[in-house]
Amino acid sequence: MALLEFKNVDYSYPSGDDDFVRALASASLAVDRGEFVALVGCNGSGKSTLARLANGLITPDGGEVLVDGKPTSDKSALYDIRRKIGVVFQNPDNQMVTTVVEDDIAFGPENLGLPPTEIRERVDWALDCVGMREYAKSGPFRLSGGQKQRIAIAGVLAIKPELMILDEATGMLDPEGRREVMNVVKRLNRDEGRAVVMITHFMEEAAEADRIIILDRGEIVADGGRGLFKTPEVFTRAGLDLPLPVRLSVALRARGIEVGTPLDADEFVAATLAAISAEPIPPQAADACAKPENVLTDDVPQADGEGDAETEAENGGEDEP
Amino acid sequence: MRDVTIGQYYPSNSIVHRADPRFKLVIMLMFLVMVFFCDSFFSFGFLTFFVILTIALSRVPPLKVLKGLKMIIIVVIITTVLMMIFYTDGDGKPLAEWGIFHIYLNGIYASIKLAWRLMLLVLMPTLLTLTSTPTELCDGLESLLSPLKKLRFPVHELALIMSIALRLVPTLIEETDKIMNAQKARGAKFESKNPFKKIKAMLPVLIPLFVSSFRRADDLADAMDSRCYRGAKGRTRMNKLHFHVGDVLAVLLWSAVFVCILFLNYNWLGWEFIAVLGV
Amino acid sequence: MISVQKLSYVYSPKTPFTTQALFDVNMRIEDGDFFGIIGSTGAGKSTLVSHFNALTRVQKNSGTVIVDDMDLSAKKPDLNRLRAKVGMVFQYPEHQLFDDTVEKDVRFGPKNLGASADEQRALAKQAIELVGLDYGAVAERSPFELSGGQKRRVALAGVIAMKPQILILDEPTAGLDPVGKREIMELIVRIKAVCPTVVMISHNMDEIASYCNRIAVMSRGRVIGVFTPRELFGSRELLADCDVKLPLVTEIAARLCDGGAEIAHDILTEDELLDAIEKAVKHA
């Protein structure tokens, strides 16, 4: 059973008097334990709606959202759902409940009704995970944006959710802060084995994930591994940029120079140097996109089975009943 | 916000910091009552000695505590001067007079005592906020008020609201500053004598401020929900309040100070040295 | 022209909390410049630019700021004239929108400067069209109903409507998606045709490298130097001294250069890099 599953989810929010804006249209996806997924799309593509649906802050108009098989529409299951799915939001200033860092991180575990000693352990552990132990007693006002977001991550982490959703958590940060947060997130996924859904429009961040889901005007238009970057059109059609190395490789291909599809600067430099010295493309750049891809055609909603098969193929997961 | 001392915790590990916030709040209440009972220089001096002692024990730099006075120093000066020039003493002879203003010796005494009293009234609460985090104070208050829960009084919610307010007020002040600057850059003028016009001039600041406050409130509610908040039900605390012998001793000490002050002022036993000291 | 000489600034002077935000800053911004200011958070960038339209006043004996013919360290500079001349767009400017229609909000600036009702309307219309919005479609709508990118344009229009000759932008693309970022930068280039001098604070080295003709690097309240993009991004010693990260394009070019390719290390745009790589490949 997938940890988080969207089944043909529709959602509209009211706008103006009698108007409704469609934020999500029959969206289906599944995220499993341990995955690192980037969810990308322009502003207004429905990314944040998806995050809020995932932990039951809002419930779908049609279809259903399941967390470990439990629907978010079941009010009595909400508490369990939120223990499993933590969300870090965009604005670093609007997530802290108290004036002292460690008290704020304790807020979640306190809500779980844990004994004081365990809360203490979790707070210290969460602070260590985000590298902010030395700031345990400080207030939020002397912290940078990146540090505040790391505190927000620690606050969610202390609940020990199985999946963390970062809803444009780097959107308001400077490059330094973005790097700090990205490093923390990658470490959490790698060392702590926590599943991460990174909602972002920074493509350099998306290129670091194992799987990429593209949202365009409320629809999931692509869902696949890093091989997606081989078909740059799906990104540009959704109004997204490509990461610079990919953009350069596409432009070079148009000029008759083949450097594969490198995803980061290292790969690009290696492949380009090889092209210049007329050697074969080094294997790591060529392999970066060797994984299977799954680009969905325009308006056809994703079939459930297909999506699941895709996800499980990537994870070498269990069989579906 | 940099100038408001209240809400600015000064981290340290002194015994004053470690004391149980409930006991600190009780002592604070006693202290405030005491200040109003003080009437003689000797009793003021006596009480001030203990205030200084507490400040010393707290290991907060005295300058930080005194900074709390900055906000009220103008009030202190104005009231003292008014007290001095308008004080009338039926029996005494004025030391100086100009028209309707008289200065009596007792008037000078009275105004010094007034200033002293006002300063004491600010110093201790400042120290309290420097040595206890707002969370501790809220917890303390919540715990002290908890008997009211029986009457279905929403004690927990109240404490949480206070804590959030303390958290957000500085943010909002900063934001007001930013919006005011943005509107000033568009040529807005906020200084006007006419109060009606003044309110109208403030609209370009107030409306964006409201809009952003609502947005913040929504965001915060989402963040709290996402972190499994369900109200007071089933909630535990990381720092459970527990008092130590020291806390009890402190309350006893301050109670003794209180009794001493009552004696100094009312001189119930008719001791002569008190009568001499009790100007 | 903005000329800054020996400018210092101290927050909460004469208290235990004194912090010096600017130390002896000297710089000159010429008419027609697209002037970039970079530096890490807390380097003093915002404090510096807020002097340019007297939102922050020059402190006593702390240097001078001169904008064209106006000395802002004078006791009473003509604030109305100054604010008409120097437009300031803060971070997330959409947070300052307040009126019930877009048109009224944009008129706020000209109105404060004492323009007549007809002038206000004309200026608002011009400004709204200049920022790429359809006047007929948005003028009577509430600014709060618009999308994030549109709100930012309205806020920009609110400053443009004052017809500034110098425009100061603090992180104009913060929080926008890639398309939004590009649109705002293109818009700023369009605005520069009517407002010849632009000063931009940014953390985005790609934007700085591709748009600015001169760049001031700030660190801990000091201006380390003012450079052309090629001087700055082409010199590793300088970058290391200034603690500036390269734009990704330049970084890739530099690493290709290190790897033995015949590619200049001070490349600033994608097209330059593509041309260089193509040439190198053909050459080989």
Side-chain angles (χ1 to χ4, degrees), chain A residues 89-150:
Chain A
F89 296 92
Q90 182 178 24
N91 192 327
D93 281 319
N94 297 358
Q95 295 175 69
M96 257 184 100
V97 189
T98 68
T99 40
V100 177
V101 164
E102 64 171 16
D103 291 344
D104 184 72
I105 296 170
F107 181 75
E110 286 177 344
N111 290 332
L112 300 183
L114 299 171
T117 48
E118 192 181 344
I119 299 179
R120 184 77 249 173
E121 279 164 22
R122 284 191 179 203
V123 169
D124 292 343
W125 169 78
L127 278 169
D128 283 338
C129 282
V130 300
M132 292 287 288
R133 186 70 169 263
E134 58 190 302
Y135 296 93
K137 303 272 184 197
S138 14
F141 303 106
R142 312 217 185 309
L143 303 179
S144 71
Q147 289 174 327
K148 284 185 212 170
Q149 276 311 51
R150 278 150 72 192

Side-chain angles (χ1 to χ4, degrees), chain A residues 52 55 57 79 82 89 93-100 103-104 106-108 110-111 113-114 116 119 123 141-142 155 159, chain B residues 8 133-135 160 163-164 166-167 170-171 216 219-220 222-230 234-240:
Chain A
R52 291 156 53 80
N55 77 341
L57 288 173
Y79 175 74
R82 288 175 185 159
F89 296 92
D93 281 319
N94 297 358
Q95 295 175 69
M96 257 184 100
V97 189
T98 68
T99 40
V100 177
D103 291 344
D104 184 72
F107 181 75
E110 286 177 344
N111 290 332
L114 299 171
I119 299 179
V123 169
F141 303 106
R142 312 217 185 309
I159 300 170
Chain B
Q8 302 263 357
T133 64
T135 323
L160 186 71
S163 154
I164 291 174
L166 281 169
R167 159 72 187 81
T171 310
R216 279 183 202 285
D219 283 1
L220 196 64
D222 277 352
M224 286 169 64
D225 277 342
S226 297
R227 284 160 76 185
C228 302
Y229 181 67
R230 302 181 289 177
R235 209 172 128 76
T236 49
R237 306 307 307 265
M238 173 168 71
N239 300 314
K240 255 193 136 172

Side-chain angles (χ1 to χ4, degrees), chain C residues 148-216:
Chain C
Q150 286 174 320
K151 277 188 203 167
R152 187 160 299 184
R153 283 157 188 265
V154 172
L156 262 165
V159 176
I160 302 302
M162 296 164 77
K163 292 250 161 192
Q165 289 305 296
I166 299 170
L167 186 66
I168 297 166
L169 302 145
D170 191 349
E171 292 271 349
T173 61
L176 297 177
D177 61 23
V179 177
K181 278 195 168 69
R182 211 163 28 237
E183 284 175 357
I184 291 288
M185 287 315 297
E186 281 163 11
L187 170 58
I188 292 168
V189 171
R190 253 193 342 268
I191 290 172
K192 199 168 176 301
V194 292
C195 170
T197 311
V198 174
V199 180
M200 177 171 82
I201 294 179
S202 179
H203 286 296
N204 188 327
M205 290 306 134
D206 301 313
E207 282 168 9
I208 290 279
S210 26
Y211 292 96
C212 297
N213 65 326
R214 294 203 304 142
I215 302 159

Side-chain angles (χ1 to χ4, degrees), chain B residues 3-20:
Chain B
D3 293 328
V4 184
T5 308
I6 287 176
Q8 302 263 357
Y9 181 64
Y10 181 87
S12 164
N13 200 24
S14 75
I15 52 169
V16 182
H17 284 78
R18 276 179 286 137
D20 186 319

Side-chain angles (χ1 to χ4, degrees), chain B residues 113-132:
Chain B
K113 282 177 194 165
L114 177 70
W116 202 333
R117 180 172 286 152
L118 285 173
M119 290 195 283
L120 286 179
L121 281 177
V122 171
L123 277 183
M124 276 300 262
T126 307
L127 185 66
L128 179 69
T129 54
L130 282 166
T131 58
S132 346

Side-chain angles (χ1 to χ4, degrees), chain C residues 122-141:
Chain C
L123 285 168
K125 184 157 188 276
Q126 263 177 28
I128 291 172
E129 280 166 356
L130 181 60
V131 299
L133 293 171
D134 177 354
Y135 180 82
V138 299
E140 293 307 313
R141 283 180 66 187

